[in-house]
């Protein structure tokens, strides 16, 4: 489904939560990254129809919704929600429901095998027969994740999906993302922990104080800079010269190795020439594109 925001602005009193935000979610697994108060949760809530902005346009598939027509906006989002799954901030569920009852209620496909896979892989087998009112925060998060994907929706909107979760469950979530994205589901995930999605995300944006400061396909963003790993006989001297000459913007020395962060795609030949000019022997050199976490850190600093 095409999902695009154009000039979306949302104010809560004097607080500008979204400031003229325009985004085109072009990936299958889209990350909306930012610190607390950056506007990422408000953005997810706008897409989910929970929050109504004062200005802007939202394109969902073939529908183009404008804030000038509030009724049409609500009608359009309500129609799109039939093909969406949600895990929003501070979800609430009927406390008297058992977890398995909630999963069955949320499922439109009545696929027992898929529901069983969700229950098992999210490690919910022991507490799924119990009432939700007695769940811990982690259990509640798991049941929320399960209900958001049990119908294999066309679009999944998640706000901090890995909060309160253990490491095995985080790995299981990555597996579900891969399976569903391959089958055609589009994910839009708000998070401040990009490391949880390093292996699955293909598009990202970074928000700060309600504005977008970086956006694009991750492979394109990562191609603009890189990390250079070098082993030499004089790592400290090499690091200092790389910074002085502008070949690197950051350098970290680890025993005989230097990790260099470059602003532009690294020129290995130029780097080797610089090393020779100061009498440093380079024993090994390798380049790696920046990770999502590094792109995020660069955007918010």
């Amino acid at each position: 489904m095409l999902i695009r925001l154009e000039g979306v602005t949302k104010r809560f009193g004097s607080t500008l939560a979204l400031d003229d935000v325009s985004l085109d979610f072009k990936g299958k697994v889209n990350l909306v990254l930012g610190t607390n108060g950056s506007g990422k949760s408000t953005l997810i809530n706008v897409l989910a129809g929970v929050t109504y902005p004062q200005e802007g346009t939202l394109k969902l598939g073939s529908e183009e919704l404008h804030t000038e027509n509030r009724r049409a906006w609500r009608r359009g989002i309500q129609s799109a929600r039939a093909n969406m799954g949600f895990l929003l901030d501070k979800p609430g569920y009927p406390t008297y429901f058992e977890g398995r009852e909630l999963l069955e209620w949320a499922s439109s496909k009545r696929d027992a095998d898929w529901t069983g896979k969700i229950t098992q892989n999210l490690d919910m087998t022991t507490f799924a027969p119990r009432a939700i009112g007695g769940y811990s925060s982690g259990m509640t998060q798991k049941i929320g994740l399960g209900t958001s994907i049990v119908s294999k929706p066309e679009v999944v909107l998640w706000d901090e999906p890995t909060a309160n979760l253990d490491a095995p469950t985080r790995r299981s979530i990555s597996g579900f993302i891969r399976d569903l994205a391959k089958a055609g589901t589009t994910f839009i995930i708000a998070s401040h922990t990009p490391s949880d999605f390093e292996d699955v995300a293909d598009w990202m944006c970074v928000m700060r104080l309600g504005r977008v400061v970086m956006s694009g396909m991750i492979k394109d963003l990562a191609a603009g800079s890189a990390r250079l790993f070098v082993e030499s006989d004089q790592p400290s001297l090499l690091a200092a010269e790389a910074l002085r000459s502008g070949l690197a913007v950051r350098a970290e020395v680890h025993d005989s190795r230097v990790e260099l962060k470059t602003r532009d795609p690294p020129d290995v030949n130029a780097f080797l020439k610089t090393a020779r000019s100061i009498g440093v022997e380079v024993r090994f050199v390798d380049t790696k594109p920046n990770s999502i976490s590094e792109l995020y850190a660069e955007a918010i600093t």
Side-chain angles (χ1 to χ4, degrees):
M1 179 188 292
L2 169 70
I3 303 175
R4 181 181 299 156
L5 296 164
E6 296 179 359
V8 171
T9 296
K10 176 61 183 178
R11 302 178 186 86
F12 294 101
S14 60
T15 300
L16 190 57
L18 296 177
D19 186 3
D20 192 28
V21 171
S22 295
L23 286 171
D24 191 355
F25 297 94
K26 293 184 176 181
K28 292 304 296 180
V29 183
N30 304 272
L31 293 184
V32 181
L33 303 173
T35 57
N36 293 335
S38 62
K40 60 186 186 297
S41 291
T42 302
L43 177 62
I44 293 292
N45 287 338
V46 167
L47 295 174
V50 175
T51 296
Y52 184 80
Q54 283 87 5
E55 302 169 30
T57 300
L58 171 59
K59 294 184 178 180
L60 291 171
S62 60
E63 285 215 64
E64 184 169 299
L65 311 176
H66 303 272
T67 49
E68 291 87 351
N69 190 335
R70 187 162 187 153
R71 181 174 296 178
W73 181 288
R74 291 189 181 279
R75 186 170 57 245
I77 288 188
Q78 185 175 7
S79 176
R81 286 180 66 155
N83 296 310
M84 290 183 174
F86 308 89
L87 178 63
L88 305 182
D89 185 36
K90 299 177 182 177
Y93 306 111
T95 57
Y96 54 87
F97 263 42
E98 294 177 358
R100 61 186 176 188
E101 289 179 318
L102 186 63
L103 281 172
E104 291 168 0
W105 174 82
S107 175
S108 63
K109 300 187 182 300
R110 303 302 180 202
D111 186 337
D113 289 341
W114 177 241
T115 303
K117 181 177 181 179
I118 290 172
T119 303
Q120 182 175 357
N121 287 16
L122 293 181
D123 194 22
M124 297 192 294
T125 306
T126 57
F127 63 83
R130 291 159 46 189
I132 294 172
Y135 282 9
S136 68
S137 58
M139 292 174 183
T140 303
Q141 189 77 350
K142 289 180 180 182
I143 202 68
L145 287 163
T147 57
S148 72
I149 61 175
V150 70
S151 289
K152 298 182 180 179
E154 189 174 349
V155 176
V156 172
L157 302 176
W158 280 347
D159 190 357
E160 301 293 357
T162 57
N164 304 311
L165 296 181
D166 51 70
T169 304
R170 291 175 185 230
R171 288 193 292 271
S172 293
I173 289 172
S174 294
F176 282 122
I177 292 173
R178 289 190 190 94
D179 290 346
L180 288 170
K182 186 177 180 179
T185 297
T186 296
F187 285 83
I188 301 178
I189 305 169
S191 178
H192 64 271
T193 54
S195 58
D196 289 333
F197 309 98
E198 289 280 1
D199 297 332
V200 293
D202 57 355
W203 183 97
M204 66 179 283
C205 75
V206 179
M207 299 189 67
R208 182 165 54 190
L209 299 176
R211 297 188 67 86
V212 177
V213 297
M214 173 189 285
S215 69
M217 299 300 291
I218 291 169
K219 62 180 178 58
D220 297 330
L221 296 173
S225 59
R227 290 170 295 162
L228 200 63
F229 296 89
V230 185
E231 185 173 316
S232 77
D233 61 338
Q234 301 181 72
S236 297
L237 177 59
L238 184 59
E241 181 61 21
L243 292 171
R244 189 200 66 77
S245 64
L247 288 173
V249 294
R250 190 177 72 237
E252 295 181 10
V253 178
H254 308 281
D255 297 325
S256 63
R257 288 200 169 199
V258 183
E259 179 180 344
L260 302 170
K261 169 71 173 60
T262 66
R263 181 174 289 110
D264 302 311
D267 185 338
V268 174
N269 288 331
F271 180 81
L272 293 174
K273 183 178 179 180
T274 297
R276 286 194 296 270
S277 72
I278 58 173
V280 172
E281 177 189 353
V282 173
R283 300 167 182 159
F284 170 84
V285 61
D286 189 21
T287 61
K288 291 184 180 179
N290 281 321
S291 64
I292 297 173
S293 298
E294 287 162 331
L295 292 169
Y296 172 52
E298 183 177 297
I300 62 174
T301 54

